[in-house]
């Protein structure tokens, strides 16, 4: 049984809390959040507090707060000889201040409160300041997920920016697709199958192999036509990404 | 039974041919392609030809060739009082030259030869020059797919550019994510679950609601850090898309 205390009340903290409560061999001892109202729904399931001095004993303390708050909250923690980890993709291991045993437990996924998520398929990227702490963290990761990776702080930063490309920026392109559909009385649902297939396709082909479309096949006529129907702002994005696809396949625009 | 003749040998033609061969109540009478070697694998299953003058009788002739070739091939067709359709998202209905009964049969999906595809979930966008031709086309569409939409030429152009955003451009962002992983010895497979979840999430949330990440939450520190680790070319795309997300959520960069 691994005893865990979780600190935070945001999207990731919310989903991770529910996952820890539901996972065998893990005991979620307590949840801390600055605002107690945000975690009051947990009252019947575990201890809750908004006072860092009231923290109980646990094997691992998980700080799942915004990147800016990690150093502040860790500096206030009074935890001796126990592992303290943060969950950020962008923050260094050493953002954990005045902590004796440090680690990172970064679940690489997009979390929204209104969308249920299955932790068992989320890759957990772990890092720690010692072999024994890494093993403890690995045990926790493997209890809740099928996939766990050793990723150091430098790699994690790169992975995080890669995730911004394939998640935030991709979602923004969905948003633009939605915008174009709405403006032309086309139901956005028509695009859902191609969106899904685009994502699934790269499980069997590399993104380089999977590419299709006017930029890849050098179809200048279609590209020119497309530009005439876009807003200035959409056209800017269209032009830059088209150029980038051209460059990838060795052509010049 | 709907009798169909298919013209073309590219990615879409390949998958559509296989689908038509496998679908009950459809008889694929013949396949035409300029290069006969490309369609020789069909010899045992249907008639094949590389000569437009040898075309047989059918209810619907499907021209599944590149946009540039549609007008040329349709002008050479000697088909009277039978429906001739093209399959392009970008080409107008009137690209079909010297054809008496015209239509468009546009399956909105991304096709690569090496990736199997299930037509039953592909939205088929149809258009025709008369009510009776539209009904015949609808019958064909509904025989092979669960979803069929009436989309006119103007709408189809808009839908096609929207598909470029959510498919070609999205795939290119996957490519950049892959590039960043490769350069830093990170297995790209770590990104597959977030890629899939990003696509699936918008089946229950709108892309506007689904957005997360540093640009959305105004996290200037992370954005600044990210920019230091990107190549010039990646940074250009990062900056433009970050600005665009800012603009979407009413913030200024």
């Amino acid at each position: 049984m691994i005893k865990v205390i979780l600190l935070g009340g945001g999207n990731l903290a919310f989903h991770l809390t529910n996952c820890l409560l539901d996972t065998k061999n893990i005991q979620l001892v307590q949840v801390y959040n600055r605002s107690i109202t945000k975690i009051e729904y947990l009252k019947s399931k575990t201890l809750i507090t908004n006072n860092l001095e009231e923290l109980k004993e646990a094997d691992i303390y998980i700080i799942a707060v915004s990147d800016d708050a990690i150093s502040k909250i860790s500096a206030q923690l009074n935890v001796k000889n126990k592992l303290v980890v943060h969950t950020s993709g962008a923050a260094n291991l050493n953002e954990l201040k005045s902590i004796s045993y440090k680690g990172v437990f970064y679940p690489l996924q997009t979390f929204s409160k209104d969308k249920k998520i299955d932790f068992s398929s989320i890759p957990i990227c772990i890092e720690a300041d010692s072999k024994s702490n890494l093993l403890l963290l690995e045990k926790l990761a493997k209890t809740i997920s099928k996939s766990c990776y050793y990723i150091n702080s430098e790699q994690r930063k790169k992975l995080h920016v890669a995730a911004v490309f394939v998640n935030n920026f991709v979602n923004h392109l969905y948003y633009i697709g939605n915008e174009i559909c709405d403006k032309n009385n086309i139901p956005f649902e028509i695009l859902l199958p191609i969106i899904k297939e685009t994502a699934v396709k790269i499980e069997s082909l590399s993104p380089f192999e999977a590419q299709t479309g006017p930029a890849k096949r050098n179809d200048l006529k279609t590209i020119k036509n497309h530009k005439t129907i876009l807003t200035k702002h959409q056209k800017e994005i269209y032009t830059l990404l088209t150029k980038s696809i051209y460059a990838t396949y060795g052509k010049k625009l």
Side-chain angles (χ1 to χ4, degrees), chain A:
Chain A
M1 184 70 81
I2 310 174
K3 289 186 179 182
V4 177
I5 289 180
L6 190 134
L7 302 93
N11 285 343
L12 167 60
F14 172 81
H15 289 287
L16 191 51
T17 298
N18 290 329
C19 164
L20 294 169
L21 283 170
D22 289 348
T23 307
K24 262 192 198 175
N25 300 322
I26 291 177
Q27 187 193 345
L28 183 60
V29 177
Q30 193 177 29
V31 174
Y32 160 90
N33 194 49
R34 200 173 39 177
S35 141
I36 196 85
T37 49
K38 227 177 165 180
I39 53 170
E40 236 158 21
Y41 73 100
L42 292 167
K43 235 178 175 173
S44 61
K45 296 171 182 166
T46 185
L47 294 172
I48 60 170
T49 180
N50 62 352
N51 184 349
L52 286 174
E53 287 173 16
E54 284 177 4
L55 286 194
K56 305 288 175 196
E57 282 281 311
D59 303 309
I60 304 179
Y61 295 75
I62 302 178
I63 304 183
V65 301
S66 67
D67 292 4
D68 287 346
I70 295 172
S71 66
K72 197 179 154 199
I73 206 169
S74 62
Q76 291 175 277
L77 272 189
N78 188 18
V79 171
K80 293 260 148 55
N81 302 328
K82 296 289 178 183
L83 181 56
V84 178
V85 302
H86 73 64
T87 55
S88 163
N92 203 287
L93 178 68
N94 294 319
E95 282 287 300
L96 296 166
K97 306 292 183 201
S98 337
I99 298 292
S100 45
Y101 295 169
K102 304 173 197 189
V104 179
F105 181 91
Y106 170 48
L108 182 50
Q109 190 47 281
T110 167
F111 299 95
S112 292
K113 271 221 163 117
D114 300 332
K115 175 72 174 68
K116 259 205 160 181
I117 202 111
D118 171 20
F119 262 82
S120 71
S121 61
I122 299 179
I124 313 283
C125 304
I126 60 170
E127 178 183 10
D129 58 357
S130 77
K131 188 77 193 273
S132 58
N133 285 331
L134 196 60
L135 288 176
L136 175 59
L137 212 44
E138 187 180 353
K139 198 174 154 196
L140 177 68
K142 289 192 169 167
T143 308
I144 69 173
S145 169
K146 286 171 299 192
S147 65
C148 168
Y149 296 86
Y150 295 153
I151 297 287
N152 65 37
S153 286
E154 271 314 299
Q155 285 177 309
R156 190 157 28 79
K157 251 187 246 173
K158 312 290 167 61
L159 187 56
H160 188 250
V161 75
V164 166
F165 275 89
V166 305
N167 166 238
N168 306 152
F169 292 169
V170 160
N171 184 74
H172 192 60
L173 296 180
Y174 298 161
Y175 172 78
I176 294 174
N178 195 346
E179 202 175 41
I180 295 170
C181 284
D182 282 355
K183 205 182 146 190
N184 296 284
N185 294 316
I186 302 164
F188 178 58
E189 61 175 34
I190 301 191
L191 290 175
L192 293 180
I194 196 171
I195 283 173
K196 198 165 178 187
E197 172 66 13
T198 307
V200 169
K201 204 177 182 181
I202 57 161
E203 291 173 9
S204 55
L205 297 176
S206 72
F208 184 86
E209 295 165 324
Q211 192 57 282
T212 59
K216 159 88 182 288
R217 67 171 183 266
N218 208 3
D219 179 353
L220 296 177
K221 192 180 153 197
T222 300
I223 291 169
K224 204 178 147 198
N225 281 337
H226 278 167
K227 286 187 186 174
T228 64
I229 56 179
L230 295 171
T231 66
K232 189 179 164 231
H233 174 232
Q234 290 164 349
K235 193 157 67 184
E236 222 183 326
I237 295 173
Y238 186 99
T239 303
L240 184 61
L241 289 172
T242 294
K243 248 194 211 169
S244 183
I245 295 175
Y246 262 82
T248 304
Y249 294 90
K251 291 165 200 154
K252 272 188 192 162
L253 195 59

